Amino acid sequence: MTFQPLPLADPDASHSPARFHAELRREDLTAQRSTRRLVISPKYGSGPREVEVRYLWCGAPDAPTLIVQGGISADRDVTALDGHAAPGWWQALVGSGAAIDLQRWRVLAIDWLTADELGAGSVSSEDQADALAALLRALGIPQAHAFIGSSYGAMVALAFAARHPRCVDRLVLLAGAHRPHPLSTAQRSVQRGIVRLGQASGQADEALALARQLAITTYRGSGEFGRRFAGGPEWRDERFHFPVEDYLEHQGRRFVERFDADRFLALSESIDLHDVKPEQIPTPATLIGFPSDRLVPLADLCELQRRLHGPATLEVIESPYGHDAFLKEPEQLAPLLREALA
């Protein structure tokens, strides 16, 4: 499709959802897929740094803006307005008439920054938050109506609200907390060790694929694996192959096609460096968790809800999909998202 630039928002104009919702719904959605050069001060850097921030801003031209960010493997392409384009990573929930209705809102999303892009030793969730705040200013958006973050995106949303509380009206946090669970850090540490070993031995792609396979085993719930891969092994290529292996190998190959080892190392580490004090966050929040999620235990979201300075509710969704439930349960998530944005 041809992306039409959106006009910069008038800082004096009202961004009230009530004002916008009172107007007639329109069909002329627009999208801006572009890059801005912005200045931020990386947490692990040596001072201010100019960085290129790649973003998508799409929806009804004069609608209130929602920030929407996903996990470390998600990009700015949350949705695709062109039916011939590849679907976005949250296409089922972001679109015309969807739970995040582009007739009522416009969505802003960025590609995650890496340590190399920041000229820093590591990249933090605070750096991503500062880049988003700088982008809001550059686009003339005084305040986002909501920051909807899933997984790493939820961590960045918390960092954003702690550092830029006046820039967002509410938070919607799915499968993400104020700090990583130590067991999840242990699992990611092993994955990073595999990738570093592969880089040192000249097998970076093979190692990245293997690390992704290990990661997949932590994203999904035990129930799903038990249901899908309960069959016996097959003798093939001079060894036994178990039903789950083909699936994991496929996931590893797909990941290598669109990701590189250094980017994975930077963003995986960024998850484990994340640490936000909930007491510093006044923004109203809706938390959504999944009992089958082994990376972000429900107990961590209960603690986050108790400690947040602002009002917070916790919604619990039963799903066999574990941490990936935020991607796999659009029908259960849709009414919760609509209610949180109302």
Side-chain angles (χ1 to χ4, degrees):
M1 69 177 291
T2 300
F3 289 96
Q4 300 296 326
L6 290 173
L8 296 187
D10 179 359
D12 297 323
S14 169
H15 280 66
S16 164
R19 166 188 166 275
F20 179 75
H21 294 167
E23 298 176 356
L24 292 176
R25 296 165 64 89
R26 40 169 77 80
E27 299 297 326
D28 53 333
L29 304 181
T30 59
Q32 186 181 102
R33 193 175 190 275
S34 189
T35 301
R36 290 282 178 128
R37 296 190 68 85
L38 305 169
V39 176
I40 65 172
S41 296
K43 182 175 182 179
Y44 301 105
S46 56
R49 172 87 175 191
E50 187 176 63
V51 295
E52 289 193 351
V53 178
R54 298 173 297 276
Y55 69 92
L56 173 69
W57 194 26
C58 65
D62 55 353
T65 291
L66 307 175
I67 301 171
V68 179
Q69 297 288 152
I72 64 169
S73 61
D75 56 20
R76 58 183 157 171
D77 293 315
V78 178
T79 189
L81 301 187
D82 185 348
H84 299 289
W89 61 265
W90 231 19
Q91 190 78 37
L93 289 165
V94 181
S96 181
I100 300 174
D101 188 355
L102 294 182
Q103 298 287 349
R104 306 177 69 184
W105 314 103
R106 55 184 171 183
V107 164
L108 179 66
I110 66 170
D111 287 344
W112 296 125
L113 298 170
T114 65
D116 285 346
E117 291 170 312
L118 294 173
S122 297
V123 59
S124 69
S125 56
E126 293 98 325
D127 297 333
Q128 314 285 7
D130 289 351
L132 279 160
L135 182 58
L136 287 182
R137 291 192 295 272
L139 295 175
I141 305 169
Q143 184 185 64
H145 177 67
F147 193 136
I148 305 170
S150 302
S151 189
Y152 182 59
M155 294 177 163
V156 173
L158 287 165
F160 186 95
R163 296 170 69 81
H164 309 282
R166 295 184 179 180
C167 292
V168 64
D169 186 61
R170 65 193 71 187
L171 302 175
V172 184
L173 310 174
L174 300 88
H178 51 296
R179 52 146 181 82
H181 191 280
L183 180 58
S184 301
T185 297
Q187 294 162 338
R188 282 185 293 268
S189 295
V190 174
Q191 295 164 29
R192 294 193 293 270
I194 292 170
V195 172
R196 293 189 185 105
L197 183 61
Q199 289 178 318
S201 63
Q203 296 178 299
D205 285 353
E206 294 85 347
L208 181 60
L210 190 59
R212 178 64 172 183
Q213 291 180 48
L214 181 57
I216 290 291
T217 69
T218 69
Y219 295 157
R220 299 297 179 89
S222 299
E224 188 200 4
F225 273 90
R227 184 185 72 253
R228 291 180 62 183
F229 307 113
E234 172 188 336
W235 181 259
R236 193 169 73 237
D237 299 327
E238 302 302 317
R239 73 172 179 87
F240 283 111
H241 284 256
F242 295 87
V244 72
E245 289 185 74
D246 290 339
Y247 167 74
L248 293 176
E249 290 170 3
H250 172 71
Q251 294 296 325
R253 286 192 301 270
R254 286 183 56 198
F255 191 68
V256 170
E257 290 171 359
R258 61 187 181 88
F259 234 71
D260 65 74
D262 288 336
R263 183 174 183 81
F264 171 79
L265 289 173
L267 294 175
S268 172
E269 180 188 62
S270 187
I271 295 174
D272 293 321
L273 291 171
H274 171 73
D275 187 9
V276 173
K277 300 296 183 288
E279 294 81 4
Q280 298 175 355
I281 299 174
T283 313
T286 298
L287 316 181
I288 301 176
F290 312 97
S292 60
D293 187 346
R294 293 178 291 169
L295 284 180
V296 184
L298 202 55
D300 286 5
L301 294 184
C302 292
E303 178 188 341
L304 174 60
Q305 181 193 17
R306 290 195 304 271
R307 293 177 56 188
L308 281 168
H309 181 66
T313 60
L314 173 59
E315 304 288 346
V316 178
I317 292 179
E318 293 290 344
S319 169
Y321 297 116
H323 188 68
D324 272 359
F326 76 88
L327 296 169
K328 302 288 288 183
E329 297 287 4
E331 292 184 1
Q332 293 200 69
L333 288 172
L336 297 181
L337 293 174
R338 288 192 178 97
E339 182 178 356
L341 296 174

